Amino acid sequence: MFILLSTLLLAQPSKTTKSSTGYEMVLIPAGTFMMGSPKNELQRGEDEQEHEVTLNHNFYIGKFEVTQDIWEQYLPNRSRFRGPRLPISDLTWFDAVSFVNAMSEKEGLEKCYVVSPNSVKWKKGYACNGYRLPSEAEWEYATKGGDEGIGGVLDEVAWTKNNSGKTTHPVGEKKPNGFGLYDTLGNVWEWVWDLHKDYPSTALIDPVGAKKGKFRIRRGGGYSTGAKRIRIADRYALNPENRHSFLGIRVVRTAKK
């Protein structure tokens, strides 16, 4: 299986940063891209209508999925498979929100999420300077990898049901995409911010998902996912209280232009 990509990105990232606890992040430049799948590539039953998206902000995104050695500096580790460089897993969406807020607090940054018993609100949206979950648009934009994209055989870039041996693997063992990000496909699915809604046909600027709903989105596929589901445009709505050994996170933070 081959992954062929093209985007409207013109720039490649030239800067990286690290949190005080060692979480590595790569700068992704603002830009415009086509999100979703063209009509001739739409999978039956999938909500992936292609539409233009512009992200007007630069942002940092994790070079790797959050690993257990990073997670354990903030919250208890519930992962089924254990190892310091294995991706964290078996976390709810609410656990993920608690984690990024804890990261922000440790760094003296603004907490991006206001958590109450019945809701989580994204304070200030993309203008928040703390750590947060990627929006679905940020995740897809970064995963497409810029001009270089993700090229080659799927086994070279992702741990899937076909090659994982039914377990997660240490991050960074597969080839990176054009932005230098590892495991954006495979290993573990990644929680993102968005509540599920159907894609529009019109162009969007800095989308943040639905205002109301129940299910949150996960992206990227995992170690137990079949190759046909390991696609950049594939999206899956899930109860935010669910925990699975194939589900983890990658963290972002808005950067100054």
Side-chain angles (χ1 to χ4, degrees):
M1 178 179 179
F2 290 83
I3 305 171
L4 301 177
L5 304 175
S6 62
T7 73
L8 299 181
L9 293 174
L10 298 177
Q12 293 298 309
S14 59
K15 187 176 180 181
T16 60
T17 189
K18 225 183 233 191
S19 74
S20 64
T21 51
Y23 188 64
E24 297 180 73
M25 306 183 82
V26 175
L27 181 66
I28 308 297
T32 298
F33 74 112
M34 297 305 296
M35 185 171 180
S37 295
K39 285 185 179 180
N40 64 334
E41 295 180 12
L42 279 174
Q43 305 286 315
R44 179 176 293 182
E46 296 286 358
D47 168 30
E48 301 170 4
Q49 179 172 249
E50 189 175 51
H51 57 293
E52 183 181 280
V53 171
T54 297
L55 296 174
N56 277 327
H57 58 283
N58 302 332
F59 62 97
Y60 286 101
I61 188 167
K63 185 176 182 178
F64 308 106
E65 293 163 331
V66 173
T67 51
Q68 293 176 33
D69 59 344
I70 300 293
W71 180 273
E72 288 172 351
Q73 297 179 61
Y74 301 94
L75 294 174
N77 182 358
R78 298 173 180 264
S79 299
R80 174 183 174 185
F81 308 110
R82 294 300 181 98
R85 294 297 290 169
L86 291 179
I88 191 68
S89 64
D90 297 87
L91 69 157
T92 69
W93 182 87
F94 297 102
D95 291 336
V97 165
S98 296
F99 174 77
V100 291
N101 268 356
M103 284 187 74
S104 296
E105 184 173 28
K106 185 176 181 65
E107 302 285 330
L109 300 171
E110 180 180 19
K111 292 181 182 179
C112 290
Y113 302 125
V114 178
V115 181
S116 65
N118 299 314
S119 69
V120 176
K121 293 183 179 180
W122 181 1
K123 183 174 61 175
K124 296 176 62 176
Y126 292 115
C128 178
N129 71 2
Y131 294 99
R132 55 183 175 79
L133 300 179
S135 67
E136 194 173 7
E138 287 174 322
W139 185 94
E140 186 165 324
Y141 181 69
T143 296
K144 285 187 170 179
D147 291 336
E148 295 179 32
I150 299 177
V153 178
L154 184 61
D155 280 352
E156 294 179 350
V157 299
W159 293 111
T160 73
K161 184 177 181 179
N162 297 347
N163 64 3
S164 69
K166 300 181 180 179
T167 186
T168 58
H169 288 258
V171 298
E173 291 188 341
K174 294 293 187 178
K175 291 182 178 180
N177 72 4
F179 280 143
L181 307 179
Y182 293 82
D183 302 300
T184 51
L185 299 178
N187 218 5
V188 289
W189 289 84
E190 299 172 15
W191 283 117
V192 297
W193 160 258
D194 301 42
L195 286 165
H196 177 264
K197 72 173 180 179
D198 292 347
Y199 283 163
S201 58
T202 54
L204 297 176
I205 298 174
D206 288 336
V208 295
K211 293 182 179 179
K212 295 182 180 180
K214 179 179 180 181
F215 297 107
R216 298 285 174 172
I217 298 293
R218 72 185 196 206
R219 299 295 299 260
Y223 75 89
S224 59
T225 309
K228 289 184 179 180
R229 289 294 306 276
I230 307 286
R231 298 180 298 105
I232 291 174
D234 188 74
R235 57 202 302 252
Y236 195 99
L238 190 67
N239 187 319
E241 296 180 353
N242 284 15
R243 298 181 190 276
H244 296 287
S245 63
F246 51 72
L247 184 55
I249 59 167
R250 189 183 303 260
V251 173
V252 304
R253 183 183 170 203
T254 301
K256 294 181 180 180
K257 286 191 175 181

